């Protein structure tokens, strides 16, 4: 690998060249950048724990650039989904994740790829961090053949290795996650299951039933409440008698985490995973975060909160801006280098959009395929007794 980093940025000046643009080439050695730095992170609030996650987090330059690229890709992807939905190219339910990127990236870097993860219907980001290409996620949203679920699942039903969706019923993924954790315990593979839900699902009875079973059997389950402050159009304070979601497990230890700081989430997840792997049973994490869009694309998101509130969060607590400022202020990356990454991401998203709008839709004869995992052809009745379809595994 070359020992030089070449950054090209376009500087627009009226007298620069025929088209008014001039390319300025700045060459910096990798040695000019700080390879690693240690940052202070916010202390987590604890429940039934004597000690919590560390108050400092190490970050290498390579990690910082990786986190930045992943979060920025998620942000740009969701903005493209917003655009395609408004153009009526994406139909049906669509729940966007912009604003909450630090949660997904922090969690993924606190566990391993062999660990398991299940979430609710705001699932695009986790599908990406679990290894699915942007174009296949976007093709799923547009209902195309190359979609991650072959165009049949849409926004809420995407899957990957060790990732179990994408679940449309509020809170229903929580007992499923406890079941995955039971499988990990039964197989003795030292793996954990990260089971995510939102503050809107936190009052579901099945959530508390899952707590109970997980605590009884000491399941390696990390229950994660992504508290983005609003369940649909209702604020947490109006919906819950207690908004201390990290204490909701009662007999299960809990931690409240700054969900807008990727390093804080990463360190808390590492702590939680170590807790589970040591045989201590489940743990509950509440990630305090914020979504910029409405609950879904049918929700403008400003009838129950003000535009000023949204803008204040963007200006003071945006997870991507926070990481970017850390990288630049500690000489771990340059402004020009991050701009180059931004340009690359925009091109990737545009290419994925072109793919997702030109890829063919799945044919009708594939409608009933994959009802069973490993069975021979099965006849399936259509919408009337005379319509016969076939299911193939």
């Amino acid at each position: 690998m070359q020992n030089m980093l070449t950054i090209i940025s376009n500087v627009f000046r009226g007298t620069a060249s025929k088209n008014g643009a001039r390319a300025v080439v700045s060459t910096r050695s990798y040695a000019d950048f700080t390879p690693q730095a240690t940052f202070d992170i916010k202390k987590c609030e604890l429940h039934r724990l004597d000690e919590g996650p560390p108050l400092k987090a190490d970050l290498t330059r390579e990690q910082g650039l990786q986190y930045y690229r992943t979060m920025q890709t998620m942000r740009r992807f969701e903005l493209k989904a917003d655009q395609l939905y408004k153009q009526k190219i994406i139909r049906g339910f669509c729940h966007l994740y912009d604003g909450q990127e630090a949660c997904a990236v922090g969690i993924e870097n606190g566990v391993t790829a062999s660990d398991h993860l299940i979430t609710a219907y705001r699932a695009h980001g986790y599908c990406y961090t679990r290894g699915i290409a942007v174009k296949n996620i976007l093709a799923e949203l547009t209902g195309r053949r190359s979609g991650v679920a072959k165009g049949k699942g849409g926004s809420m039903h995407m899957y990957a290795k060790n990732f179990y969706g994408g679940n449309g019923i509020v809170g229903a993924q929580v007992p499923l996650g406890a079941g995955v954790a039971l499988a990990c315990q039964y197989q003795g593979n030292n793996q954990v299951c990260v089971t995510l839900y939102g503050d809107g699902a936190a009052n579901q009875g099945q959530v508390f039933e899952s707590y109970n079973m997980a605590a009884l059997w000491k399941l390696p389950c990390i229950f994660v409440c992504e508290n983005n402050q609003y369940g649909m159009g209702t604020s947490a304070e109006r919906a819950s008698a207690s908004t201390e979601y990290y204490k909701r497990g009662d007999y299960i230890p809990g931690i409240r985490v700054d969900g807008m700081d990727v390093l804080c989430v990463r360190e808390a997840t590492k702590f939680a995973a170590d807790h589970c792997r040591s045989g201590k049973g489940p743990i509950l994490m509440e990630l305090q975060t914020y979504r910029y869009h409405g609950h879904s694309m049918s929700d403008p998101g400003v009838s129950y909160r003000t535009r000023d509130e949204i803008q204040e969060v963007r200006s003071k607590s945006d997870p991507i801006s926070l990481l970017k400022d850390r990288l630049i202020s500690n000489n771990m990356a340059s402004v020009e280098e991050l701009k180059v990454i931004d340009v690359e991401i925009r091109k990737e998203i545009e290419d994925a959009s072109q793919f997702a709008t030109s890829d063919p839709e799945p044919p009708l004869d594939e409608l009933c395929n994959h009802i069973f995992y490993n069975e021979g052809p099965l006849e399936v009745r259509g919408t009337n007794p005379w319509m016969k379809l076939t299911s193939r595994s």
Side-chain angles (χ1 to χ4, degrees), residues 110-176:
V111 295
T112 69
S114 62
D115 289 318
H116 307 265
L117 193 145
I118 187 168
T119 189
Y121 35 74
R122 208 176 299 279
H124 307 160
Y126 288 102
C127 197
Y128 177 66
T129 60
R130 283 274 132 172
I132 303 301
V134 169
K135 69 176 187 178
N136 299 115
I137 301 174
L138 207 51
E140 186 60 40
L141 291 179
T142 57
R144 306 305 171 111
R145 196 168 190 170
S146 297
V148 62
K150 301 186 184 299
K152 301 177 187 178
S155 174
M156 298 193 293
H157 305 290
M158 302 181 181
Y159 310 92
K161 183 175 175 58
N162 296 333
F163 175 59
Y164 308 91
N167 293 267
I169 304 301
V170 175
Q173 73 279 6
V174 179
L176 295 179

Side-chain angles (χ1 to χ4, degrees), residues 242-369:
S242 169
T243 57
E244 294 182 311
Y245 296 107
Y246 70 109
K247 295 182 179 180
R248 287 289 194 90
D250 189 10
Y251 34 78
I252 297 176
I255 50 179
R256 175 180 271 173
V257 185
D258 180 359
M260 304 299 271
D261 182 351
V262 65
L263 297 184
C264 203
V265 177
R266 185 193 70 182
E267 294 306 310
T269 304
K270 287 181 179 178
F271 176 87
D274 289 343
H275 176 95
C276 290
R277 292 190 218 279
S278 66
K280 296 178 182 177
I283 191 169
L284 203 161
M285 290 204 310
E286 176 190 345
L287 305 183
Q288 292 190 308
T289 183
Y290 198 85
R291 56 169 163 81
Y292 294 152
H293 269 84
H295 169 73
S296 68
M297 285 302 299
S298 61
D299 169 22
V302 290
S303 60
Y304 49 87
R305 58 182 182 175
T306 64
R307 296 184 188 276
D308 289 342
E309 176 186 310
I310 301 169
Q311 186 56 42
E312 183 177 8
V313 176
R314 281 184 181 273
S315 62
K316 295 181 179 180
S317 305
D318 183 76
I320 298 176
S321 297
L322 177 61
L323 177 62
K324 181 179 180 179
D325 291 345
R326 278 175 167 162
L327 293 175
I328 293 172
S329 61
N330 287 273
N331 194 39
M332 299 180 77
S334 67
V335 173
E336 295 83 3
E337 182 178 16
L338 297 180
K339 284 182 179 177
V340 169
I341 292 175
D342 292 343
V343 170
E344 292 172 352
I345 291 170
R346 286 193 182 95
K347 183 180 186 306
E348 180 186 5
I349 300 302
E350 285 303 321
D351 290 347
S353 176
Q354 290 293 323
F355 175 82
T357 52
S358 60
D359 192 53
E361 295 181 356
L364 182 62
D365 60 12
E366 290 186 9
L367 178 65
C368 296
N369 285 356

Side-chain angles (χ1 to χ4, degrees), residues 174-290:
V174 179
L176 295 179
V180 173
L182 174 61
C184 293
Q185 183 189 70
Y186 186 80
Q187 295 171 0
N189 54 25
N190 201 35
Q191 296 169 358
V192 303
C193 182
V194 180
T195 302
L196 296 116
Y197 56 97
D199 53 288
N203 297 321
Q204 286 271 324
Q206 58 192 328
V207 173
F208 293 91
E209 293 180 49
S210 302
Y211 290 165
N212 184 59
M213 298 302 289
L216 275 174
W217 294 341
K218 293 190 179 299
L219 301 182
C221 188
I222 305 174
F223 294 104
V224 181
C225 176
E226 289 184 290
N227 179 7
N228 61 21
Q229 315 303 321
Y230 296 92
M232 297 188 70
T234 306
S235 67
E237 290 75 13
R238 292 182 60 216
S240 299
S242 169
T243 57
E244 294 182 311
Y245 296 107
Y246 70 109
K247 295 182 179 180
R248 287 289 194 90
D250 189 10
Y251 34 78
I252 297 176
I255 50 179
R256 175 180 271 173
V257 185
D258 180 359
M260 304 299 271
D261 182 351
V262 65
L263 297 184
C264 203
V265 177
R266 185 193 70 182
E267 294 306 310
T269 304
K270 287 181 179 178
F271 176 87
D274 289 343
H275 176 95
C276 290
R277 292 190 218 279
S278 66
K280 296 178 182 177
I283 191 169
L284 203 161
M285 290 204 310
E286 176 190 345
L287 305 183
Q288 292 190 308
T289 183
Y290 198 85

